[in-house]
Amino acid sequence: MTDSPPTPASKTALADRPADLGPEAPALLAIGQAARELGVSVRSLRYYEEMGLLTPTGRTTGGNRLYAPDDLARVRRIRELQHLLGFNLDEVRAILEHDDHLTRVRHDWADAHDDDRARLLDEAREADVNLRAQVEVKIRSLVMFRDEINARIARNDLLREGLHG
Amino acid sequence: MTDSPPTPASKTALADRPADLGPEAPALLAIGQAARELGVSVRSLRYYEEMGLLTPTGRTTGGNRLYAPDDLARVRRIRELQHLLGFNLDEVRAILEHDDHLTRVRHDWADAHDDDRARLLDEAREADVNLRAQVEVKIRSLVMFRDEINARIARNDLLREGLHG
DNA sequence: TTGCTCCTCACGTCACGTGAGGTGGC
DNA sequence: TTGCTCCTCACGTCACGTGAGGTGGC
């Protein structure tokens, strides 16, 4: 998109945010920069692409991947679903595809009929409620686990009170 | 332990809780029963053993593994550390070895000096506080994630109110 | 004897890690 | 030219999954 530049001065546009395009020009990052910013490995970014979860917004003429802010947000979402919730990449892809479907339809929201809109909203709501339920199960497990640890600490402190050192 | 039985009547003791040993006789489970009770795969139990995380209390003369209640509790702890907190099995083993160290020392608590006891308690407390910190980071991430989902649901509901269907 | 469960190899898989060997712009 | 980062294979690894082939007690 922001690739194939009419300004032949920069073919790669690696980290350049050209002033002549105005302040709203998107900052495209090379894979190493993106990985550092996200705290993930370069290999992971390439693997997500290989698995069809993420296509970087652009490529340089040399073939280097270029990541837009939206791409970074997508990676953060992938990581949340993977590591916070324990989904595998097939499940993550399914959720992302559902998200993508929603944004596509939201795009021609103005042209849609009210019943189509209602169906869309209900569908999105159900997915969110499902996801929330899974998150809450995880939270409850973790809170129980923390409470057990706190109980152990309290028992420890009681024993410790009995000693003078 | 409860293997090598003086009663030659049952060599395998697979699921027998013999009434002649009293009600406090431990119920030893075969690997399949243990796996079902725990909700894990048989392969996982064997793998934990292979990795030195868990040694089943007994074996039948035929070589079948026998799991005591303590073994099941250990597996539950392994799973918590693995999937709730995201530790790999090397890290889980380290934590378990620390736990084991504590229980061993607690065993000759009566023979120990007060300064040894104090050191032990302080050590255990520090490990627990560390673990609790990691749990709380996870909880905070999940609560933030849940709040985002709730915000999305609320936005959805607002839009939905505007429609009549 | 027939099921059922158990055993030990041992290869497959998922989500990457880690070089191997080569290219491209300051 | 020298670093640095990027590229594409491609093999290694961790935590198992999944048969393959065989044993053992109702």
Side-chain angles (χ1 to χ4, degrees):
Chain A
M1 277 198 150
T2 355
D3 212 10
S4 66
T7 60
S10 74
K11 276 184 179 175
T12 62
L14 269 171
D16 57 347
R17 183 202 270 261
D20 53 350
L21 289 182
E24 71 278 7
L28 295 181
L29 301 182
I31 194 169
Q33 299 172 300
R36 245 166 288 143
E37 174 108 12
L38 291 163
V40 308
S41 72
V42 165
R43 180 69 170 100
S44 292
L45 294 180
R46 293 207 189 99
Y47 186 66
Y48 296 153
E49 185 176 352
E50 199 179 330
M51 293 296 104
L53 294 174
L54 166 76
T55 308
T57 293
R59 289 257 185 174
T60 67
T61 52
N64 289 15
R65 282 164 254 253
L66 293 173
Y67 294 85
D70 278 359
D71 300 332
L72 303 192
R74 194 176 180 86
V75 173
R76 289 195 195 93
R77 182 147 176 84
I78 292 173
R79 288 262 143 179
E80 281 175 347
L81 295 170
Q82 244 192 310
H83 294 116
L84 257 63
L85 299 191
F87 290 124
N88 65 34
L89 292 189
D90 265 24
E91 297 165 328
V92 172
R93 179 172 40 223
I95 295 177
L96 287 181
E97 279 170 0
H98 185 254
D99 286 4
D100 293 345
H101 171 67
L102 290 185
T103 38
R104 266 198 311 277
V105 186
R106 205 168 1 238
H107 188 254
D108 26 54
W109 182 259
D111 306 338
H113 293 296
D114 261 15
D115 48 353
D116 285 339
R117 292 178 179 168
R119 196 164 37 75
L120 179 67
L121 288 176
D122 291 347
E123 200 185 311
R125 195 197 146 89
E126 195 196 334
D128 273 338
V129 167
N130 269 332
L131 200 57
R132 182 177 59 182
Q134 310 209 41
V135 176
E136 285 180 339
V137 166
K138 270 261 175 186
I139 291 177
R140 268 193 288 277
S141 305
L142 280 167
V143 166
M144 283 179 57
F145 191 50
R146 186 193 54 186
D147 290 349
E148 281 168 30
I149 296 173
N150 277 332
R152 277 176 56 167
I153 292 178
R155 280 198 301 274
N156 186 312
D157 288 348
L158 271 178
L159 280 173
R160 187 66 231 244
E161 263 182 52
L163 307 174
H164 40 314
Chain B
M1 275 197 151
T2 355
D3 212 9
S4 66
T7 59
S10 75
K11 276 184 177 173
T12 61
L14 269 172
D16 57 347
R17 182 202 273 261
D20 53 350
L21 289 181
E24 72 278 6
L28 295 181
L29 301 182
I31 195 169
Q33 299 173 301
R36 244 166 288 143
E37 174 107 13
L38 291 163
V40 308
S41 72
V42 165
R43 180 69 172 101
S44 291
L45 293 180
R46 292 205 189 101
Y47 186 66
Y48 296 153
E49 185 176 353
E50 199 179 331
M51 295 294 104
L53 294 174
L54 166 75
T55 309
T57 294
R59 290 256 185 173
T60 67
T61 52
N64 290 14
R65 282 163 256 252
L66 293 173
Y67 294 85
D70 278 0
D71 299 331
L72 303 192
R74 194 177 180 86
V75 173
R76 289 194 194 94
R77 182 148 177 83
I78 293 174
R79 288 261 144 179
E80 280 176 347
L81 295 169
Q82 243 192 312
H83 293 116
L84 257 64
L85 298 191
F87 290 124
N88 65 33
L89 292 189
D90 264 24
E91 297 165 326
V92 171
R93 178 171 40 223
I95 295 177
L96 288 181
E97 279 170 0
H98 185 255
D99 285 4
D100 293 345
H101 172 67
L102 290 185
T103 39
R104 266 197 311 278
V105 186
R106 206 170 356 240
H107 187 254
D108 29 53
W109 183 259
D111 307 337
H113 293 296
D114 261 16
D115 47 354
D116 285 339
R117 293 177 179 170
R119 196 165 37 76
L120 178 67
L121 288 176
D122 291 348
E123 200 184 311
R125 195 197 146 88
E126 196 195 333
D128 273 339
V129 168
N130 269 333
L131 199 59
R132 182 178 58 182
Q134 311 209 40
V135 176
E136 286 180 339
V137 165
K138 270 261 174 185
I139 291 177
R140 268 193 288 278
S141 306
L142 280 167
V143 166
M144 282 178 57
F145 191 51
R146 187 194 55 187
D147 290 348
E148 282 168 29
I149 296 173
N150 278 332
R152 277 176 56 167
I153 292 177
R155 279 198 302 274
N156 186 311
D157 287 349
L158 271 177
L159 280 174
R160 188 66 231 246
E161 262 181 55
L163 307 175
H164 39 315

